[in-house]
Amino acid sequence: MRVFLVAGEPSGDRLGGALMEGLKELVPDVSFDGVGGPLMQAQGLISRFPMSELSVMGLVEVLPKFFHLKRRISETAEAVLTTEPDVLITIDSPDFSLRVAKIVKAGSDIRTVHYVAPSVWAWRPGRADKMAKVIDHVLALLPFEPPYMERAGMACDFVGHPIASEPVATPQDVASFKETHDLGDAPVLVVLPGSRRGEIERLAPSFRGALEIFLSVRPEFRVVVPTVAPTSDLIDTIVQDWPGNPMVLDPRNESTDQASATKREAFAAAELALAASGTVSLELAAQNTPMVIAYKLNWLTQKMAERMVRLDTFTLVNLVSKTHAVPECMLDECRPDRIAAELNKVLEQPDAQREAMEVTMDQLGRGGEPPGLRAARAVLTRMNAGNA
């Protein structure tokens, strides 16, 4: 069996790596081609170009790279058509992925699977109908998503999220992490300003300002900043003038497994986290780390989003648990004073999010078959049944 995969950012790389591991377990002679990051490469993928080239979000951010991305779309689709895999699996990054799938469908009958249902329940519901023209099968991360996809004419399976099956750091792991990094008994604040260069640069001033305010009344906290390899150099530069002498966790000096373990330990060691909106909220929830989520967009992108978004919460923990347990400082509310105030509130009630985090992990499949294996089984079952 030959599988062509395309992922465009770290969260997609995580999903792709777990899916590939599941496929290898079910089909030992499977082979892989495509585009992915370190976790997918650890499963045997040789990426056709660096995945980081696709980690762009927002209209204004995409425009300067438009022609380069367009070339990559053409190159990727041509590679699929030339190699004729049994299935093309695109993972999130819909602006890139679905354009590749469109070209592939126009030139072949190769089966197309998209991993991560578009959030049509949040904004632009018409996307599902357009997607159905080029995608045969959708793998959904959230339990309430399949009806939206099926209504548009696509097969869809809820497969859970790999984060729900990852290990939870033990007290011994936390003690070892603190000793290794000379943290002593100091309380830890984990700060995560994003995984894309554009969002890091956009959020950094607000995060820095919030730290100044927070640390002025909570000087005992140590600031720890985990990074991903493509943006470690940027983080190193940005945090040089942050208060609290932040400690950057650079994954480039560790194996993939070691880097993942270090990040889990950092999350579990933290009394509190400040994070950009995204999958990282699930990673924090898996380690029971109380959090504040903050995010802003480029002005033009934000104005467009305000006209289309249909939600009153953006954080995945809140969406899955159907609560507002995790405080958010979004868009115009992403200000230092507002963020610092929410950090202090969370610190005063550290257990207020615990039930929502437990519900989220249970809903995403904790305790069941690993989501990557479930996703692999769903791909194979639909292929064998010929069910588009």
Side-chain angles (χ1 to χ4, degrees):
M1 178 181 179
R2 292 174 297 123
V3 181
F4 198 107
L5 303 104
V6 178
E9 53 190 303
S11 59
D13 183 45
R14 176 189 295 272
L15 295 170
L19 170 60
M20 291 168 67
E21 184 177 10
L23 287 169
K24 286 162 66 175
E25 181 174 337
L26 298 175
V27 187
D29 64 345
V30 65
S31 63
F32 301 114
D33 195 354
V35 180
L39 296 176
M40 293 170 67
Q41 291 170 32
Q43 294 297 327
L45 178 73
I46 299 175
S47 187
R48 286 180 171 261
F49 55 83
M51 184 189 73
S52 58
E53 291 186 18
L54 308 183
S55 295
V56 184
M57 182 178 180
L59 174 64
V60 175
E61 292 80 4
V62 168
L63 286 176
K65 300 183 178 181
F66 174 78
F67 291 106
H68 178 71
L69 290 171
K70 190 173 181 180
R71 282 195 300 272
R72 288 302 196 194
I73 289 168
S74 298
E75 290 171 10
T76 304
E78 183 61 32
V80 178
L81 292 169
T82 300
T83 58
E84 298 183 329
D86 296 293
V87 61
L88 165 65
I89 303 177
T90 53
I91 307 169
D92 209 1
S93 301
D95 290 334
F96 186 89
S97 295
L98 299 184
R99 284 174 169 81
V100 171
K102 181 178 180 179
I103 296 172
V104 169
K105 272 299 183 187
S108 74
D109 59 357
I110 294 170
R111 185 171 181 80
T112 53
V113 177
H114 190 66
Y115 198 170
V116 183
S119 49
V120 297
W121 35 267
W123 67 300
R124 288 173 58 195
R127 285 179 296 163
D129 294 329
K130 293 180 180 178
M131 182 174 165
K133 297 176 182 178
V134 300
I135 296 295
D136 300 313
H137 180 200
V138 179
L139 303 173
L141 302 185
L142 305 178
F144 54 81
E145 291 179 319
Y148 292 94
M149 302 297 104
E150 292 166 349
R151 196 174 300 135
M154 292 171 283
C156 185
D157 293 298
F158 165 63
V159 297
H161 200 295
I163 288 173
S165 64
E166 290 188 350
V168 176
T170 66
Q172 293 77 19
D173 294 331
V174 170
S176 176
F177 173 82
K178 286 196 162 189
E179 180 178 358
T180 299
H181 296 282
D182 196 26
L183 294 171
D185 295 326
V188 173
L189 168 62
V190 166
V191 180
L192 302 131
S195 59
R196 305 178 188 94
R197 301 184 77 87
E199 67 186 355
I200 292 170
E201 292 169 341
R202 192 165 54 248
L203 292 174
S206 296
F207 278 36
R208 182 190 184 282
L211 288 177
E212 282 188 336
I213 298 171
F214 179 78
L215 294 174
S216 69
V217 295
R218 306 277 188 175
E220 68 276 14
F221 270 80
R222 289 293 309 275
V223 176
V224 175
V225 187
T227 68
V228 294
T231 59
S232 291
D233 58 339
L234 176 61
I235 291 290
D236 281 335
T237 300
I238 282 177
V239 305
Q240 285 180 9
D241 68 342
W242 280 16
N245 189 27
M247 180 179 70
V248 176
L249 300 180
D250 189 339
R252 292 175 294 184
N253 299 321
E254 298 180 305
S255 69
T256 300
D257 288 343
Q258 288 173 328
S260 297
T262 298
K263 186 162 71 166
R264 287 195 298 269
E265 292 163 5
F267 289 1
E271 278 75 15
L272 188 61
L274 168 60
S277 180
T279 307
V280 71
S281 70
L282 300 181
E283 297 181 71
L284 291 164
Q287 305 301 326
N288 290 312
T289 308
M291 70 191 89
V292 172
I293 299 298
Y295 204 76
K296 65 169 63 175
L297 298 166
N298 176 280
W299 181 85
L300 179 58
T301 305
Q302 176 177 325
K303 293 305 176 185
M304 295 177 64
E306 287 173 350
R307 297 169 62 89
M308 295 183 285
V309 171
R310 305 187 298 172
L311 293 177
D312 62 354
T313 183
F314 298 85
T315 301
L316 290 171
V317 173
N318 290 344
L319 287 166
V320 176
S321 65
K322 299 180 181 179
T323 69
H324 290 83
V326 176
E328 300 173 320
C329 301
M330 307 299 289
L331 305 180
D332 291 338
E333 294 295 306
C334 186
R335 307 188 316 268
D337 59 332
R338 178 94 161 79
I339 295 169
E342 292 297 343
L343 287 171
N344 278 301
K345 287 179 185 177
V346 172
L347 196 59
E348 291 166 2
Q349 294 183 303
D351 293 327
Q353 300 176 26
R354 190 169 301 277
E355 182 177 353
M357 293 191 290
E358 292 287 335
V359 168
T360 296
M361 290 300 107
D362 289 343
Q363 287 289 311
L364 294 185
R366 182 171 58 186
E369 186 174 61
L373 183 59
R374 290 173 63 180
R377 198 182 307 281
V379 169
L380 296 172
T381 298
R382 297 281 188 178
M383 286 181 65
N384 292 336
N387 185 354

